[in-house]
Amino acid sequence: MGQPAVPGDAVPQGQPIGPRSRGIRRSAAIITAALLALAAPALGQPRPGPAPAPQRWEARFYNPQPAPGDLVLPLPCGGAMAFRRIDVPHESALADRKIVVGGTDERFAFAEGSRYDYIDGAFGDPKDKTRRFYYLAKYEITELQLKAITGTCATPERAGLRPATGTTWFDAVQAAQLYT
């Protein structure tokens, strides 16, 4: 008859242990021992407290020219982003506003040819039922803001105020998902 692969394993009487099951049990015992060895230093150690709250950015890092009506929303890492309200006339539920987007400059026609599109505000104005609105970022997103959105807290400094460049459309979509 076979011997238990690991001391303490119970083997039903009359059933031999094959080489495959012996190997699996031995591997499980080794993995368990390794995990316990890795966890041993943490056992009995006090748990670290919460990380200190990040320092709030000065307004010059996210809204250098404040104006009445600015919507300032928080970012991770103590940051913020300023938005402006854009009003759109609204007649009825399905009456989106027809606008022209793109440019007419022939040099950029391959990328920005003008075309018609439709727009409507996502938010309703309770004071004026003929007006809807949406919010648009007041400034281009900066390197500092993009780092905050992606979870890399950086110290606010002047160099971080440059517009975030070298990003792809996919980077922008990911940043929007992370921010919402």
Side-chain angles (χ1 to χ4, degrees):
M1 295 289 142
Q3 297 222 350
V6 178
D9 278 358
V11 178
Q13 274 302 44
Q15 293 199 4
I17 297 176
R20 183 171 178 182
S21 62
R22 191 175 296 133
I24 291 172
R25 287 184 180 182
R26 188 171 289 132
S27 296
I30 291 170
I31 291 171
T32 302
L35 289 174
L36 286 173
L38 290 173
L43 296 175
Q45 296 290 327
R47 296 181 106 178
Q55 183 180 0
R56 292 188 55 83
W57 297 355
E58 296 176 30
R60 66 187 174 104
F61 289 107
Y62 59 87
N63 195 7
Q65 298 176 353
D70 286 353
L71 173 65
V72 178
L73 296 177
L75 288 174
C77 306
M81 188 179 290
F83 296 86
R84 291 301 312 231
R85 177 179 162 154
I86 309 295
D87 288 321
V88 179
H90 179 74
E91 296 169 9
S92 68
L94 299 175
D96 293 356
R97 186 86 169 169
K98 188 176 185 179
I99 60 171
V100 177
V101 293
T104 57
D105 191 337
E106 290 297 321
R107 296 176 299 161
F108 304 111
F110 67 94
E112 295 185 11
S114 62
R115 61 181 169 77
Y116 290 105
D117 214 331
Y118 296 87
I119 192 168
D120 196 8
F123 305 102
D125 190 341
K127 297 176 187 169
D128 185 359
K129 300 293 182 191
T130 64
R131 194 156 298 287
R132 292 187 58 85
F133 61 94
Y134 62 94
Y135 285 98
L136 184 67
K138 189 173 174 182
Y139 307 99
E140 294 175 305
I141 189 167
T142 64
E143 292 175 356
L144 187 61
Q145 289 170 322
L146 186 58
K147 284 180 181 178
I149 289 172
T150 57
T152 307
C153 294
T155 304
E157 54 188 32
R158 186 173 174 85
L161 296 178
R162 293 185 296 243
T165 59
T167 57
T168 66
W169 182 82
F170 296 106
D171 295 334
V173 169
Q174 181 186 24
Q177 288 175 338
L178 290 170
Y179 190 40
T180 57

